[in-house]
Amino acid sequence: MGAVPSTPRHTSTTAETAEYLIGTFVGEKSFPLASDFWQKLLELPLTLRWAPDRVQEACELFALNNHHTRHLAKILVHLSWCLEEAIRTSGAPSPVYLKAVNAVYISSVFLKYIIENSQSDNIEELCLSLHENEPVPKDFTTDQKIEYLVMHNVLTVLGSIDVSPTTSLLHQELLNFMLVAMSTQLLSGPTPGPKDVNPFLDAAMSQESLLVNLVVRRLLLSYIMRPRLPSSSAAYSIFSEESQQGVLQRVGSAAANLVLLPFNYLVSSNSEGSRNQLADCSLHVLLILIHYHKCVVSDGLITDRSDDSATSDTVSKVNTYFTVNPYSKALENARDIEFDRADIEGNAQNGPVVRLPFASLFDTLGMCLADETAVLLLYSLLQGNSDFLEYVLVRTDLDTLLMPILETLYSASRRTSNQIYMLLIILLILSQDSSFNASIHKMILPGVPWYKEHLLHQTSLGSLMVIILIRTVQYNLSKLRDVYLHTTCLATLANMAPHVHRLSAYASQRLVSLFYMLSRKYNKLVELRDDKLQTKTISTGDSLVEDMSAELQIYTDFLRIVLEILNAILTYALPRNPEVVYAIMHRQEVFQPFRNHPRFAELLENIYNVLDFFNSRMDAQRTDGEWSVEKVLLFIINTCRSWRGDGMKMFTQLHFSYEQESHPEEFFIPYVWQLVLSRCRFSFSSEAINLFPVDLHANKQVYYEEPNINLKGELNEHRVRLDP
């Protein structure tokens, strides 16, 4: 394939014509934009085969010659023109539509190969401009950026043409192209910098707000509606021979191992009923777009005067900032198509906003939350879109979202630490609302079949949430040992505490056991620290002792929060929670060792005030025979009626809120791409990835790398704020 094949004879077969056209495209000869060659290439039938080694050779040869031929730039221009014509014909099954599909195939394969094998910091191998002396059609503006032109038309098709049986294939391939074009992010480090090169992403960010809104809306609608490719492509003769893979199909599967061609989609590769290739790909593209942060250098200079020995000359430092992400803003400002608060309050939005069916979005998320990408979308909506958060909070069927979340947390050992982290943040965000905390205790679950440790019958959703949060703390103590997960679980429980209503017996027992579980960890740390201090070989200033003291302080805070939780229930909701009183009375010995502790004494005064109240009346109560569980509980229920809270100290209610750091991109950008690589057939060379750590001894093509980001490191990205 080193030389351009000779022009086939008039009697040549289709295979020979395809061989000639593809060979010419990757060869040394440069064809101008107006050449008939491009039309012949884009009309090539997809019914022929190429061996994988031939495909690889074609990609290598293309990359070698592209600097001279600029054929990548030219195929992208022709892709743009095909899409423009497809827009005018509304994506009808015409030769223009078929050429657009072909142009996307070819562009995706060779663009991906160049990005993946780029050796320069600026990805100069793309050559996204034409030579100055390149002849161009009269209507072609030479000063326009090709990446902007192609992204504008790709996004216009995605945003303005409805997905239908005749257009779904083009939509799917354009989404694949988007993933390829945006994969330049994989070449950069985890911290976005001004030297990062993402030409197609930057072009997407510079589109008009109206188009951005259309794209965000269409991607979400595709995710909600979950359209499928037609089961038969008989309407297009070019795709009719399902058993035969064509030349471009072989290019896609062998050279790129990426482009998901039509027949790959006819049968889903995943048995999960909720999985849908077009819907999943739409979500992947959306998540990449909304979490992109472009770092630019400010025009201003910073003078460093911190060093008195420096010369009088000013020392210029690079002052960088992140530009506004229009896709993130569009998602944040999305409104319910059925109801808009602005219409009622008279606070109309400035300009058009994305209108979405929140009800359908809510139901779709509930159906798909077993998938991590759906969890990230839900987080993005709840954290950024106040209207959607408000909509969720007023739903009466909160179990639609909460049950899959709690079930996923229940099986934490089979989940990634990042997924656990995101789910807990979602629960914390929801628990910031008092109406949410009250309503979850009113919903009674007839049973929870996936919970195996205990039979949960007629348990409230709130009780189940308490049980799962405490179970997560227990799992974290034994496996992850991450302080932030403890903090998030306890913060959510603290927000819920004043609103607890008829907490179940099992949840109440687990709550008291939580204090005992943390107290054992606390006591163990005290013993270890004291042993080290008494060891002569280690001084009191040893770093190990200091670390132990710091960890001891953390667990002191945890124990205090649990006591605050118990206090809140006893202070504000004791008559409604006899099972909590029973659990405290049953395990009252666990509190005794901490009664004189300076950090816990005042909180334990209230607990012992309750214990004294019920113990004294129980001692005065005469009963026939032994006190059974049923008798004790009935006694507590009756005695609660005379409870007035005398002698109880009132403490300020704890209220924890989630606050995202101003620069969360170091976590989210790598996280999104790890999810994309794990869930679509997008592969990328491990040697080329700089965005996140990759095991270079693993398979050369990376489809999925288990998130390596330690949650302790994520503490720098998010924080839980305690409101005074």
Side-chain angles (χ1 to χ4, degrees):
M1 288 192 57
V4 177
S6 58
T7 305
R9 299 183 301 276
H10 180 70
T11 58
S12 64
T13 64
T14 304
E16 291 174 336
T17 302
E19 188 87 9
Y20 165 75
L21 291 173
I22 296 294
T24 303
F25 174 67
V26 303
E28 300 174 354
K29 184 177 179 180
S30 175
F31 285 82
L33 276 174
S35 170
D36 291 340
F37 163 77
W38 298 103
Q39 298 304 315
K40 294 177 181 177
L41 177 66
L42 298 182
E43 292 170 356
L44 184 66
L46 304 181
T47 56
L48 302 171
R49 292 174 177 268
W50 256 11
D53 59 332
R54 300 289 310 282
V55 176
Q56 180 69 19
E57 186 182 354
C59 289
E60 293 172 356
L61 192 60
F62 178 83
L64 181 66
N65 294 321
N66 184 55
H67 179 74
H68 164 66
T69 64
R70 302 297 169 105
H71 277 183
L72 178 61
K74 293 172 185 176
I75 192 69
L76 290 176
V77 171
H78 276 277
L79 169 60
S80 299
W81 290 345
C82 289
L83 294 176
E84 287 176 357
E85 197 163 350
I87 293 168
R88 289 194 295 270
T89 59
S90 299
S94 65
V96 172
Y97 170 74
L98 300 180
K99 284 195 298 183
V101 174
N102 282 4
V104 179
Y105 289 162
I106 299 173
S107 300
S108 297
V109 171
F110 293 101
L111 173 61
K112 191 260 183 181
Y113 180 86
I114 289 181
I115 291 174
E116 190 176 22
N117 294 276
S118 173
Q119 299 298 317
S120 63
D121 293 337
N122 297 325
I123 324 181
E124 296 172 353
E125 295 89 343
L126 290 173
C127 301
L128 294 175
S129 62
L130 303 179
H131 292 299
E132 293 183 1
N133 58 351
E134 180 79 37
V136 296
K138 294 181 180 180
D139 58 349
F140 182 78
T141 306
T142 56
D143 59 353
Q144 62 183 327
K145 290 186 175 182
I146 292 176
E147 60 267 30
Y148 180 89
L149 175 66
V150 69
M151 289 302 287
H152 175 78
N153 288 317
V154 168
L155 293 170
T156 300
V157 170
L158 290 175
S160 61
I161 296 181
D162 291 335
V163 178
S164 67
T166 59
T167 65
S168 57
L169 178 60
L170 180 59
H171 272 268
Q172 182 65 68
E173 296 310 324
L174 288 175
L175 292 170
N176 294 333
F177 174 84
M178 288 285 292
L179 290 177
V180 172
M182 297 187 296
S183 68
T184 52
Q185 277 194 302
L186 291 169
L187 307 181
S188 304
T191 303
K195 293 184 179 180
D196 293 349
V197 179
N198 298 293
F200 296 98
L201 262 168
D202 292 342
M205 294 298 138
S206 61
Q207 302 298 322
E208 296 179 356
S209 60
L210 182 60
L211 177 56
V212 169
N213 288 345
L214 288 174
V215 171
V216 171
R217 178 178 177 274
R218 173 54 57 196
L219 292 175
L220 282 170
L221 286 179
S222 293
Y223 180 69
I224 293 169
M225 304 306 294
R226 318 188 75 71
R228 294 190 177 275
L229 290 176
S231 58
S232 174
S233 301
Y236 312 104
S237 59
I238 189 172
F239 302 133
S240 60
E241 298 181 41
E242 182 170 337
S243 62
Q244 298 294 320
Q245 283 192 310
V247 172
L248 297 183
Q249 290 173 300
R250 294 300 302 171
V251 171
S253 60
N257 208 2
L258 155 71
V259 181
L260 305 183
L261 298 160
F263 304 122
N264 296 105
Y265 282 117
L266 299 183
V267 180
S268 174
S269 63
N270 194 303
S271 60
E272 295 180 32
S274 62
R275 297 303 296 270
N276 176 284
Q277 295 287 359
L278 199 148
D280 291 347
C281 205
S282 296
L283 179 55
H284 297 155
V285 170
L286 178 65
L287 290 175
I288 294 172
L289 287 172
I290 65 174
H291 288 291
Y292 177 60
H293 284 68
K294 179 174 175 56
C295 183
V296 297
V297 179
S298 174
D299 294 334
L301 298 178
I302 298 178
T303 302
D304 186 1
R305 302 184 183 277
S306 60
D307 187 357
D308 295 336
S309 64
T311 63
S312 58
D313 295 334
T314 59
V315 180
S316 298
K317 289 186 176 180
V318 176
N319 185 23
T320 60
Y321 66 96
F322 292 107
T323 58
V324 175
N325 183 321
Y327 297 87
S328 177
K329 289 296 180 185
L331 187 67
E332 291 173 3
N333 295 326
R335 299 291 179 262
D336 189 3
I337 199 170
E338 299 294 336
F339 172 78
D340 186 4
R341 184 176 57 193
D343 295 339
I344 305 300
E345 299 177 354
N347 300 319
Q349 294 291 322
N350 294 325
V353 296
V354 177
R355 298 279 184 167
L356 294 169
F358 278 7
S360 299
L361 180 56
F362 179 92
D363 293 338
T364 301
L365 286 168
M367 178 180 67
C368 300
L369 278 177
D371 183 76
E372 218 167 331
T373 54
V375 173
L376 183 53
L377 175 60
L378 177 59
Y379 163 83
S380 302
L381 286 164
L382 295 178
Q383 193 276 329
N385 189 311
S386 58
D387 274 40
F388 186 76
L389 174 59
E390 182 179 322
Y391 175 84
V392 169
L393 293 173
V394 300
R395 288 279 297 226
T396 57
D397 57 343
L398 282 168
D399 57 316
T400 301
L401 289 184
L402 288 184
M403 288 302 285
I405 290 175
L406 297 177
E407 183 176 3
T408 303
L409 288 174
Y410 175 77
S411 58
S413 60
R414 301 195 301 270
R415 309 295 177 178
T416 68
S417 56
N418 286 331
Q419 185 175 9
I420 299 170
Y421 167 79
M422 297 306 301
L423 291 170
L424 291 175
I425 290 295
I426 289 171
L427 294 181
L428 176 59
I429 292 173
L430 294 174
S431 73
Q432 293 168 193
D433 184 80
S434 58
S435 64
F436 167 84
N437 295 322
S439 62
I440 57 176
H441 288 283
K442 298 176 182 177
M443 181 172 292
I444 304 301
L445 306 171
V448 186
W450 45 261
Y451 194 92
K452 304 301 183 183
E453 287 81 357
H454 189 87
L455 178 62
L456 300 179
H457 180 65
Q458 294 296 315
T459 300
S460 70
L461 185 59
S463 293
L464 178 62
M465 188 166 162
V466 169
I467 293 167
I468 295 299
L469 286 170
I470 294 172
R471 191 176 187 275
T472 304
V473 172
Q474 183 178 14
Y475 170 75
N476 186 42
L477 270 175
S478 61
K479 301 293 183 182
L480 300 178
R481 297 182 177 88
D482 184 83
V483 171
Y484 189 70
L485 258 69
H486 280 339
T487 304
T488 308
C489 290
L490 295 177
T492 305
L493 288 169
N495 287 345
M496 296 170 61
H499 311 280
V500 167
H501 184 82
R502 297 193 179 279
L503 196 66
S504 71
Y506 183 62
S508 301
Q509 295 166 18
R510 299 304 300 151
L511 190 56
V512 176
S513 295
L514 174 62
F515 181 84
Y516 176 67
M517 184 167 47
L518 292 173
S519 68
R520 290 180 60 188
K521 176 69 173 178
Y522 172 88
N523 290 331
K524 185 177 180 180
L525 287 171
V526 170
E527 292 176 6
L528 288 173
R529 183 199 59 180
D530 293 345
D531 289 344
K532 293 298 182 183
L533 287 174
Q534 294 173 6
T535 303
K536 295 180 180 180
T537 57
I538 299 180
S539 66
T540 56
D542 188 88
S543 60
L544 181 60
V545 175
E546 293 178 358
D547 291 343
M548 285 185 176
S549 297
E551 189 174 5
L552 186 61
Q553 180 60 46
I554 290 172
Y555 277 89
T556 303
D557 292 339
F558 288 162
L559 283 171
R560 183 174 174 86
I561 292 176
V562 176
L563 290 176
E564 295 254 22
I565 292 169
L566 292 171
N567 261 269
I569 297 174
L570 298 178
T571 304
Y572 299 101
L574 185 147
R576 303 194 303 271
N577 292 281
E579 293 286 4
V580 176
V581 176
Y582 179 90
I584 292 174
M585 293 179 67
H586 182 65
R587 298 290 303 277
Q588 55 189 288
E589 73 281 356
V590 304
F591 303 106
Q592 184 62 39
F594 300 94
R595 194 166 185 179
N596 297 320
H597 193 291
R599 290 289 307 278
F600 308 142
E602 59 179 0
L603 292 168
L604 283 170
E605 283 183 21
N606 276 352
I607 291 178
Y608 274 95
N609 188 20
V610 172
L611 286 171
D612 292 343
F613 178 85
F614 284 91
N615 283 333
S616 62
R617 283 159 176 75
M618 190 172 178
D619 292 340
Q621 181 81 32
R622 292 185 178 181
T623 181
D624 297 330
E626 297 292 329
W627 282 95
S628 65
V629 173
E630 292 75 13
K631 288 181 178 180
V632 172
L633 186 58
L634 181 60
F635 165 78
I636 292 173
I637 292 173
N638 293 329
T639 308
C640 280
R641 296 169 184 167
S642 60
W643 169 258
R644 297 293 180 267
D646 296 335
M648 296 287 284
K649 290 185 178 180
M650 301 296 291
F651 295 97
T652 303
Q653 287 187 21
L654 287 182
H655 184 79
F656 292 91
S657 61
Y658 171 73
E659 183 176 299
Q660 188 183 74
E661 287 286 353
S662 57
H663 300 295
E665 61 283 340
E666 290 187 18
F667 168 73
F668 282 106
I669 293 176
Y671 182 44
V672 168
W673 275 104
Q674 287 169 335
L675 293 179
V676 170
L677 291 176
S678 72
R679 280 153 179 77
C680 71
R681 301 173 197 179
F682 187 99
S683 67
F684 211 86
S685 171
S686 60
E687 297 176 354
I689 296 177
N690 295 311
L691 185 61
F692 51 84
V694 177
D695 183 5
L696 295 179
H697 299 290
N699 189 350
K700 188 174 182 180
Q701 289 290 326
V702 175
Y703 294 87
Y704 172 55
E705 183 71 18
E706 186 76 15
N708 285 329
I709 303 173
N710 191 310
L711 283 176
K712 292 181 181 177
E714 294 165 14
L715 291 177
N716 296 324
E717 303 305 326
H718 303 83
R719 64 174 178 269
V720 177
R721 186 179 64 197
L722 177 61
D723 291 343

